[in-house]
């Protein structure tokens, strides 16, 4: 073998060895996250159906139950980040999976003994939501300690793809399970999914670096404030948060208006509406699959603003859909939006993970999530109000244009002069 051929062989062997498909610990984390996401998607369908079918809950009660599932993000996201930074993230994920298994398992158990109440469902939704907050903050913060920085984009792409797959297939699976075994028993599948996730994470061999010992006089509020200060003081992270929060505000508007637009403006049947709205999840899966390759060609930093301002621009064609064959414009535009914003999310999460010191990782992720998720319900309210005032189609145009325009936040930032994400900050 010549010297050049030997060098090429060594490079190829090293690249194959670093392939995420060959990294057992990442595959286990990815498997656990996939099973957990699918189970959660099943419960989002099954839990309200338990309330409606088994307990004959009112519309208002079902609305409260739905709100209870996401309330935890507003209540505990910030303290969760501070707690995650002070403890083993792997252990937190394992405990969260175990608790969710027990919490959700209580629903079919109570149903079997005919003692299930709407109050228990509220508690289950809230408690499972708290565990989900801690799990999500932990696994996003744990990932950079498990793999090389160069592999973060690909890893986040794989995690994002399975998240979109869960959004696409989970509700259908949930509906099928409810029809097959009943709403209460369908939740058993979710409970068991957390057991499988726990086993997968238990199998991870690599141990993370122990977190720094907390100062005896350091209160929780100060640790939370450090995370918020880090995000808001960094000129790029601050613009990323502004872009994501604004995008989520207008995405909340489109979510509130899309079903009304399809059913009332385009005369789409309820069954077809679900299939059309699946276009976003299909686009998201494609975005997750191609984000890494696109980032290599365009630049891992540059793609953050390009994904919004360039890739998502055609999404507005969804608002131009008309009855008949013209309805196809809606899933096309919807899918384009799903693709573009999945690429954006993978790129900006990778950037955040690369530039944040390990000791601040949990608080950074929690602070960002607390801010950007808080705009979504506001967007839903704004979408309903604007649709009533100016009409559904014009309000949709505003929503699509607004989500595209959010990209200017990251364009007018230091990212515009960067091609790639810098090396991680020293701890």
């Amino acid at each position: 073998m010549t010297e050049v051929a030997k060098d090429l062989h060594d490079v190829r062997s090293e690249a194959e060895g670093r392939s995420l498909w060959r990294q057992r610990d990442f595959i286990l984390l990815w498997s656990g996250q996939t099973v957990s996401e699918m189970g959660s998607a099943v419960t989002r369908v099954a839990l309200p159906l338990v309330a409606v079918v088994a307990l004959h809950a009112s519309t208002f009660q079902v609305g409260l139950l739905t709100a209870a599932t996401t309330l935890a993000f507003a209540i505990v996201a910030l303290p969760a980040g501070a707690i995650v930074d002070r403890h083993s993230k792997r252990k937190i994920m394992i405990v969260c999976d175990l608790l969710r298994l027990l919490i959700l398992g209580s629903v079919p158990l109570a149903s079997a003994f005919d003692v299930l109440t709407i109050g228990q469902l509220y508690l289950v939704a809230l408690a499972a939501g708290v565990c989900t907050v801690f799990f999500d903050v932990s696994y996003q913060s744990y990932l950079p300690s498990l793999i090389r920085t160069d592999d973060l984009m690909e890893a986040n792409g794989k995690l994002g793809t399975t998240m979109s797959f869960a959004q696409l297939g989970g509700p259908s699976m949930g509906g099928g399970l409810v029809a097959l075994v009943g709403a209460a028993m369908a939740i058993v599948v979710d409970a068991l999914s957390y057991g499988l996730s726990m086993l997968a994470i238990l199998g991870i061999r690599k141990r993370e670096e122990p977190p720094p010992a907390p100062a005896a006089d350091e209160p929780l509020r100060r640790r939370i404030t450090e995370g918020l200060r880090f995000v808001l003081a960094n000129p790029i992270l601050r613009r990323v948060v502004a872009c994501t929060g604004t995008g989520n505000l207008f995405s909340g508007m489109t979510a509130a208006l899309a079903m009304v637009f399809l059913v009332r403006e385009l005369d789409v049947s309820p069954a077809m509406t679900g299939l059309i709205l699946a276009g976003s999840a299909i686009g998201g899966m494609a975005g997750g699959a191609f984000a890494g390759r696109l980032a290599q060609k365009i630049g891992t930093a540059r793609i953050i603003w390009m994904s919004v301002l360039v890739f998502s621009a055609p999404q507005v064609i969804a608002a131009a859909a008309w009855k008949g064959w013209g309805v196809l414009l809606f899933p096309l535009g919807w899918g384009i939006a799903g693709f573009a914003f999945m690429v954006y999310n993978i790129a900006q999460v990778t950037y955040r993970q690369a530039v944040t010191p390990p000791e601040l990782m949990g608080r950074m992720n929690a602070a960002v999530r607390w801010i950007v998720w808080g705009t979504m319900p506001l967007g839903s309210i704004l979408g309903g109000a604007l649709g009533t005032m100016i009409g559904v189609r014009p309000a949709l145009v505003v929503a699509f244009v607004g989500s595209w325009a959010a990209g200017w936040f990251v364009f007018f930032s230091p990212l515009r002069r960067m091609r790639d994400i810098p090396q991680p900050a020293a701890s």
Side-chain angles (χ1 to χ4, degrees):
M1 182 182 292
T2 66
E3 196 68 28
V4 173
K6 184 178 184 299
D7 289 342
L8 289 173
H9 178 269
D10 290 342
V11 169
R12 189 181 301 114
S13 298
E14 181 183 354
E16 289 176 354
R18 288 203 304 110
S19 168
L20 289 179
W21 289 105
R22 294 172 177 265
Q23 295 186 32
R24 176 183 177 277
D25 287 344
F26 171 76
I27 294 297
L28 286 170
L29 178 67
W30 186 23
S31 301
Q33 181 256 5
T34 301
V35 172
S36 177
E37 289 282 353
M38 286 297 294
S40 296
V42 169
T43 292
R44 281 193 288 271
V45 173
L47 203 61
L49 282 174
V50 170
V52 172
V53 176
L55 301 179
H56 308 290
S58 67
T59 303
F60 180 68
Q61 288 174 321
V62 174
L64 287 177
L65 182 62
T66 303
T69 61
T70 56
L71 184 61
F73 286 95
I75 296 174
V76 302
L78 288 177
I83 292 169
V84 164
D85 278 339
R86 286 291 185 246
H87 296 84
S88 165
K89 298 166 184 62
R90 176 175 172 272
K91 288 180 181 177
I92 289 175
M93 289 188 287
I94 292 169
V95 170
C96 287
D97 276 336
L98 177 60
L99 289 175
R100 287 188 289 187
L101 187 156
L102 297 174
I103 290 165
L104 288 163
S106 72
V107 174
L109 186 63
S111 178
F113 286 97
D114 200 25
V115 294
L116 184 64
T117 65
I118 190 68
Q120 179 181 343
L121 292 187
Y122 290 149
L123 290 174
V124 164
L126 185 59
V130 170
C131 292
T132 297
V133 171
F134 276 89
F135 184 93
D136 288 356
V137 171
S138 296
Y139 98 76
Q140 277 197 346
S141 306
Y142 180 56
L143 182 64
S145 69
L146 197 64
I147 61 174
R148 291 166 53 103
T149 303
D150 292 346
D151 294 327
L152 279 174
M153 183 71 74
E154 182 186 352
N156 283 315
K158 286 176 165 52
L159 293 168
T161 300
T162 53
M163 190 179 300
S164 292
F165 177 75
Q167 292 172 356
L168 177 66
S172 301
M173 182 184 296
L177 284 169
V178 169
L180 188 64
V181 298
M185 289 304 295
I187 295 178
V188 173
V189 174
D190 192 9
L192 292 177
S193 75
Y194 292 125
L196 293 174
S197 174
M198 180 178 66
L199 292 175
I201 296 169
L202 277 169
I204 295 175
R205 292 172 181 165
K206 185 176 181 181
R207 296 297 177 258
E208 61 193 296
E209 291 293 324
D217 60 344
E218 187 179 21
L220 181 64
R221 181 181 297 179
R222 183 183 299 172
R223 300 211 304 271
I224 291 172
T225 303
E226 285 178 356
L228 283 168
R229 188 183 297 118
F230 174 79
V231 170
L232 298 178
N234 184 298
I236 293 179
L237 288 182
R238 186 169 64 244
R239 298 299 184 93
V240 166
V241 169
C243 176
T244 310
T246 304
N248 283 350
L249 176 76
F250 287 105
S251 293
M253 288 180 62
T254 59
L257 294 165
M259 198 167 293
V260 177
F261 179 67
L262 289 170
V263 174
R264 295 182 181 172
E265 301 282 332
L266 304 184
D267 291 334
V268 176
S269 68
M272 283 300 297
T273 297
L275 290 175
I276 289 173
L277 293 178
S280 176
I282 294 171
M285 290 172 62
F290 289 101
R293 275 174 270 185
L294 286 171
Q296 287 179 357
K297 292 183 178 296
I298 296 171
T300 55
R302 187 183 295 155
I303 199 171
I304 294 176
W305 61 264
M306 285 195 67
S307 56
V308 183
L309 292 177
V310 179
F311 298 168
S312 81
Q315 66 178 308
V316 73
I317 65 172
W322 65 89
K323 295 178 184 179
W325 287 105
V327 77
L328 294 176
L329 287 177
F330 193 91
L332 179 60
W334 201 245
I336 288 170
F339 174 88
F341 290 113
M342 177 58 73
V343 173
Y344 166 79
N345 279 325
I346 289 167
Q348 61 94 3
V349 167
T350 301
Y351 178 85
R352 284 159 37 200
Q353 291 169 335
V355 302
T356 303
E359 65 273 14
L360 280 169
M361 195 71 71
R363 282 170 286 176
M364 177 277 297
N365 282 320
V368 171
R369 182 162 291 205
W370 179 71
I371 296 170
V372 303
W373 280 47
T375 61
M376 295 181 73
L378 295 177
S380 298
I381 296 170
L382 182 60
L386 198 61
T388 303
M389 292 170 58
I390 66 174
V392 176
R393 190 188 297 271
L396 262 181
V397 173
V398 171
F400 284 125
V401 172
S403 64
W404 166 80
W408 292 107
F409 280 112
V410 284
F411 180 79
F412 290 113
S413 77
L415 278 174
R416 189 173 74 258
R417 298 185 294 274
M418 297 166 55
R419 184 189 188 277
D420 292 304
I421 293 171
Q423 291 300 307
S427 59

